[in-house]
Structures are given as structure tokens and as C-alpha cells.
Amino acid sequence: MIKESTIAQQLDHRTIRAFTKQPVAPEIIEQLVSVARHTATSNFQQAFSVISVTDQAKKQQIAAISKQPYVAANGHLFIFVADQHRNQQIGAEMGKTENQLGGADRFLQAWSDTTLAVQNTEVAAESLGLGTVILGSILNDAQKLIDLLQLPQLTFPVLGLAIGWPDQAPQLKPRLPEKFVHFENSYQLPTPVEPQLTDYDAVVHQYYDLRDANRRVDTFTNQVQQRLAMVPEKRGELLAVLRWQGFLLE
Amino acid sequence: MIKESTIAQQLDHRTIRAFTKQPVAPEIIEQLVSVARHTATSNFQQAFSVISVTDQAKKQQIAAISKQPYVAANGHLFIFVADQHRNQQIGAEMGKTENQLGGADRFLQAWSDTTLAVQNTEVAAESLGLGTVILGSILNDAQKLIDLLQLPQLTFPVLGLAIGWPDQAPQLKPRLPEKFVHFENSYQLPTPVEPQLTDYDAVVHQYYDLRDANRRVDTFTNQVQQRLAMVPEKRGELLAVLRWQGFLLE
């Protein structure tokens, strides 16, 4: 039943934000990076890189950017970077100066390559019993992170991934039922959606209630509508920073 | 040794483009979609959907878009879609008409949610012995695919994923050595890069040679430089189509 255990683990995925003091051994980090490197890649361009942030002062600064103190805590911190710089550099060394690496097509290819590698790494880590948290919050101040990690033109931070030995055992977070997510042959969202999500909202509400009785409990639909127009200040600058890095220029 | 088998499989990943006639059972499809649904998601927004393309005529049209005949062949074809439409719809039904779902921040969150789900699904499928091919080529004509799948505003096709029982056993494709991909504390590409890639280029050359002695064999650096300025016509329209769908507007 080895074959089935991967899926069982994937269905049991939960985000772990608290890690024990036991460090993740260097051999494991190397193995995880190897998994990342072996992820599928668009047109064999391998357009991502990964930075291990081991410097505690830098971790603190990234935690401040993320506004998540646990980013600076015990876990091993990877920052995954969409990377067309390496290919630009290779081309330049071979005498090719013109490129389209900053256009939407190549930018999104790099973003996809990077994100695929993040998920592959996460699954690998969890298969070893490690806990993980994917950090979209690193983009709360993209420019600061770019400066901190000295990211050159044609690179961009995509997601962080903190990994460590779990020091918590959260509940499984309930996901949207299949009929709202999986369609056949064309996009067919059952509408009106919201009234059909009553049962799901109740399950999500109960999840939050069990997770922390002292905090506000919430439903899925309420979280969606509350976030609709929410763009924290610096995240509103993302397109400008992308262009500063050489991406999505007209 | 169950725990280690996931990583062994991931390190052994290879793209499978030829599938046997044996269909993938509906229970497996449902299980794979369940894995996709349980993937980590940014701010719990679950901003992706997946469309199973079972209609043979549509598969043919997608194969034509992709310029890859095997897309229409025996595999089960998923199209993964970045989806802020569902959340916009939920909000609208709750009386919230203003949203920032088309901005760079929320667009990229959706793209990441979608891509993470693709990779999770791929790993799950491979754990069952299935073969997979991720299809970036669906974006060769994004507008045509959008029309074909009736994708509404605030959705966008990201990647296809074809899955089936393998009918080929390709070699493992060699990846860039770790030192060109994994850095510590800051971006530190070893430069000049190209002269340091001679050994890797030789390995890639040998890989292609073994794969098909009748075809042109190539190195990694040569593929990179050849693709630098390459944007097939319709892919150059990607940013325009993204805006047409409501994304990345100023």
C-alpha cells in the first residue's frame, strides 16, 4: 500500500506554523532541493531558483515583511524565486542580448515553474514527517525582500516555504465541495453560489470554533467578501515592482 | 520505508506523453480532484478551478491549440484555471460589487493557487503509477481556449494536465546542478555561468542522443539561447488576453 500513502498524506495536508527546536538536517535540505530541481519545467527552461535564508537577522526582516513572527522561528526558510535572470545571463554570455524574458508569457512560465517546485518540495517535506507553511506574505513588501535577497533584474520572489518538525497538530481545514471547483467540458459554476454554500460555511465555522474558541469564528463566504476589495498598501504596488524587475513591460 | 517512497518517486519524475487505451477510472479522477482541492491556498481563497475535458471534439481543438496531437489521445485531460470569478460571484451575491480581484496581487495569488494544485495532482497521479504531462502549450492561443471552455471574466487557463497509464518509459531528464539553482541568504549565481555548464551540457546532449538518435541533439545552454527572444505569435498577446479577462488592468 506504499502507492496509496502519498495521496493519504496529501489529503491530510495542514499548514504547520510552529516547529520544534530540532533543526532540519542539511542532508534533508539537500534532498528537498533535489526534489525541487526535478519538478516539471516549462520548455526545459528551469526558470526558478531557491534561496535558503539561514541568517537570523535576515529571517527577522522577512518575518517583519510577512508580519508573521513564526517566519523567524525554528523552521528552515526557503524563498522561491521566479528566475529568468539565469537564462538571460547564459544568453548574454553566448552573445545574445535581445530577449523576451520579461514579457507576460515568459514571466508566467517562470512563475509557474517556481510554484510547481514549491508544491513538490512541500509534498516531499511532508512525506518525511516535516511540517510546512507556504508564505504568500513575503510579498507584503516585495521591493524590500528583493533588496534584502539582492534579487537581480528578471527575478521575482514568488512564495516562501518554511519547514520544520511540527510542534502543533491543527485540525484539517475543510475545502470547497467538488461541485464548486470541478467542472466538465466548460466552466459551469452552480449559481447562485452563496445559498448553496450554507452547509460548507457551517463546517468552516465549526473548524474555526474548534481551532481557537477565543477568536472570532468565521465562514468561508464571509472571508471571501471581506477580502474582495482588500489590498494591503504595499501589495498594491506589486505591478510596479514587477516592472521595476523587468517584467510585464509593454 | 513508506515515508521515503514519495521522494523516490518525485526524484524519478519524467513526463509521459503516450498513454495506453485503458481509461483512468472515475474514482481515481475524483480522488485526484480531491487532492487538488486539499492543496495549500493563499488566504484560504481557493482561487482555482479545474475542468475535465471529456468531449473528444474539444480535446481535438485543445490539441490543435497546443500543437501537440497527444493532448487529444488516451489521457484524461484537466485544464486548471485561475479563478477569481467564483469569489467575485459570491461577493456580488452578498451585495459587494467593488473588488480588487483583477489586480496583480490577487491575480498572482490565483495563479499560484492553481499551479500548486497542478503539482499536487501530478504527484498524486504518479503515486498511483499513472503518467502525466503538464501542458503549458494550452496558452498558445489563450483566447481560443477561453472561448472553448466558456471561461468567464476573472478566470484564466494556467496549465493543462493530461494523465493516463504510461505507454512509454523515457529516460530521466537531467536537471541543472544544485549550485546554479540553490543559494544561501542572497541571490548568488556563479558567473560566468555558461563555461561552468559544460559538463551539464554534455549530460543533456547525451540524454537527447539516447532519447532519439534520429533527431537533432541539443545542449541546455543552446536551448536557452535559442528561446531567449522566442515568443510564438499568439503567446505575445497573452497580456492583452489577461486584460480582456479582467486581470492586470492599471
Side-chain angles (χ1 to χ4, degrees):
Chain A
M1 301 281 59
I2 287 179
K3 293 287 188 185
E4 282 179 7
S5 75
T6 300
I7 288 180
Q9 169 207 306
Q10 289 173 296
L11 292 176
D12 200 45
H13 163 75
R14 46 204 87 192
T15 296
I16 303 294
R17 294 178 177 83
F19 307 118
T20 71
K21 285 182 178 163
Q22 186 189 345
V24 183
E27 313 84 71
I28 290 181
I29 300 302
E30 191 181 338
Q31 198 174 27
L32 295 179
V33 171
S34 188
V35 167
R37 287 165 45 228
H38 284 83
T39 308
T41 167
S42 188
N43 294 130
F44 197 40
Q45 296 293 292
Q46 308 185 62
F48 83 97
S49 288
V50 57
I51 297 176
S52 283
V53 183
T54 57
D55 180 282
Q56 191 56 33
K58 287 202 177 184
K59 282 178 78 173
Q60 294 284 3
Q61 289 176 275
I62 296 172
I65 290 168
S66 293
K67 301 190 173 74
Q68 308 289 0
Y70 56 79
V71 170
N74 297 319
H76 182 91
L77 179 60
F78 287 123
I79 306 291
F80 282 79
V81 177
D83 187 354
Q84 294 287 17
H85 170 79
R86 184 174 51 235
N87 289 343
Q88 183 269 325
Q89 176 70 24
I90 290 169
E93 291 174 12
M94 296 169 85
K96 293 265 184 128
T97 47
E98 275 186 59
N99 71 73
Q100 293 289 334
L101 298 175
D105 183 29
R106 304 299 290 269
F107 166 67
L108 289 171
Q109 280 191 346
W111 197 279
S112 292
D113 276 10
T114 310
T115 315
L116 293 173
V118 170
Q119 182 62 34
N120 218 19
T121 307
E122 190 224 62
V123 173
E126 290 183 350
S127 80
L128 298 173
L130 289 156
T132 67
V133 50
I134 296 179
L135 301 160
S137 54
I138 60 166
L139 293 182
N140 284 348
D141 190 341
Q143 188 59 59
K144 191 171 272 184
L145 185 63
I146 287 165
D147 295 341
L148 191 68
L149 300 180
Q150 298 164 50
L151 299 183
Q153 286 284 297
L154 295 177
T155 65
F156 208 86
V158 173
L159 289 167
L161 178 65
I163 291 172
W165 300 104
D167 200 22
Q168 61 180 181
Q171 298 291 312
L172 191 65
K173 199 165 187 177
R175 304 305 168 120
L176 278 169
E178 181 177 352
K179 72 170 182 170
F180 299 101
V181 177
H182 182 209
F183 315 124
E184 193 164 352
N185 291 318
S186 63
Y187 189 94
Q188 300 172 55
L189 186 65
T191 50
V193 195
E194 197 267 337
Q196 299 184 64
L197 288 174
T198 309
D199 290 351
Y200 178 60
D201 269 346
V203 173
V204 171
H205 189 281
Q206 186 186 37
Y207 159 83
Y208 282 114
D209 205 22
L210 288 169
R211 189 170 85 169
D212 188 347
N214 298 316
R215 278 180 63 173
R216 147 192 82 84
V217 289
D218 212 344
T219 62
F220 175 70
T221 56
N222 205 40
Q223 285 185 63
V224 165
Q225 63 100 350
Q226 279 175 354
R227 280 194 179 270
L228 275 186
M230 194 191 286
V231 179
E233 186 191 0
K234 295 278 186 184
R235 294 188 81 106
E237 298 169 7
L238 206 47
L239 188 56
V241 183
L242 283 162
R243 287 177 176 155
W244 196 253
Q245 288 298 102
F247 290 118
L248 295 177
L249 303 167
E250 297 297 309
Chain B
M1 302 288 33
I2 287 180
K3 293 287 189 186
E4 282 179 8
S5 73
T6 300
I7 288 180
Q9 169 207 307
Q10 289 173 296
L11 293 175
D12 200 45
H13 163 75
R14 47 205 84 192
T15 296
I16 303 294
R17 294 179 177 81
F19 307 119
T20 70
K21 285 182 181 165
Q22 186 189 346
V24 183
E27 313 84 72
I28 290 180
I29 299 303
E30 191 182 337
Q31 196 174 29
L32 295 178
V33 171
S34 188
V35 167
R37 287 165 45 228
H38 284 84
T39 308
T41 166
S42 187
N43 294 131
F44 197 40
Q45 297 292 292
Q46 308 185 64
F48 82 97
S49 290
V50 56
I51 297 176
S52 282
V53 183
T54 57
D55 180 282
Q56 191 56 32
K58 286 202 178 184
K59 283 178 78 173
Q60 295 284 4
Q61 287 176 277
I62 296 172
I65 290 168
S66 292
K67 301 190 174 76
Q68 307 289 0
Y70 55 79
V71 170
N74 297 318
H76 181 91
L77 179 60
F78 287 122
I79 305 292
F80 282 80
V81 177
D83 188 355
Q84 294 288 16
H85 169 79
R86 185 173 51 234
N87 289 342
Q88 183 267 326
Q89 175 72 23
I90 290 169
E93 291 175 13
M94 296 170 85
K96 293 265 183 127
T97 48
E98 276 186 58
N99 71 73
Q100 293 288 333
L101 299 174
D105 183 29
R106 304 299 290 270
F107 166 67
L108 290 170
Q109 280 192 346
W111 197 278
S112 292
D113 275 10
T114 310
T115 315
L116 293 172
V118 170
Q119 183 62 32
N120 218 19
T121 307
E122 190 224 61
V123 174
E126 290 182 350
S127 80
L128 299 173
L130 289 156
T132 67
V133 50
I134 295 179
L135 302 160
S137 54
I138 59 166
L139 293 181
N140 284 348
D141 189 342
Q143 187 60 58
K144 191 171 273 184
L145 186 63
I146 287 165
D147 295 340
L148 191 68
L149 300 179
Q150 297 164 50
L151 298 183
Q153 286 284 297
L154 295 176
T155 65
F156 209 86
V158 173
L159 290 168
L161 178 65
I163 291 173
W165 300 104
D167 200 23
Q168 62 180 181
Q171 298 291 311
L172 191 65
K173 200 164 185 176
R175 303 305 167 122
L176 278 168
E178 179 176 352
K179 73 171 182 169
F180 300 100
V181 177
H182 182 208
F183 314 125
E184 193 165 351
N185 291 317
S186 63
Y187 189 94
Q188 300 172 55
L189 185 66
T191 51
V193 195
E194 195 266 338
Q196 299 184 64
L197 288 175
T198 309
D199 290 350
Y200 178 60
D201 269 346
V203 173
V204 171
H205 189 282
Q206 187 185 35
Y207 159 83
Y208 283 113
D209 205 22
L210 288 170
R211 191 170 84 167
D212 187 349
N214 298 317
R215 280 180 62 172
R216 145 194 82 86
V217 290
D218 211 344
T219 64
F220 174 71
T221 56
N222 205 40
Q223 287 184 63
V224 165
Q225 63 100 351
Q226 279 176 353
R227 279 194 179 271
L228 274 187
M230 193 191 289
V231 179
E233 187 191 358
K234 296 278 185 183
R235 294 188 81 105
E237 299 170 7
L238 206 47
L239 189 56
V241 182
L242 283 162
R243 289 179 176 153
W244 196 254
Q245 288 299 100
F247 290 119
L248 296 177
L249 303 168
E250 296 299 308

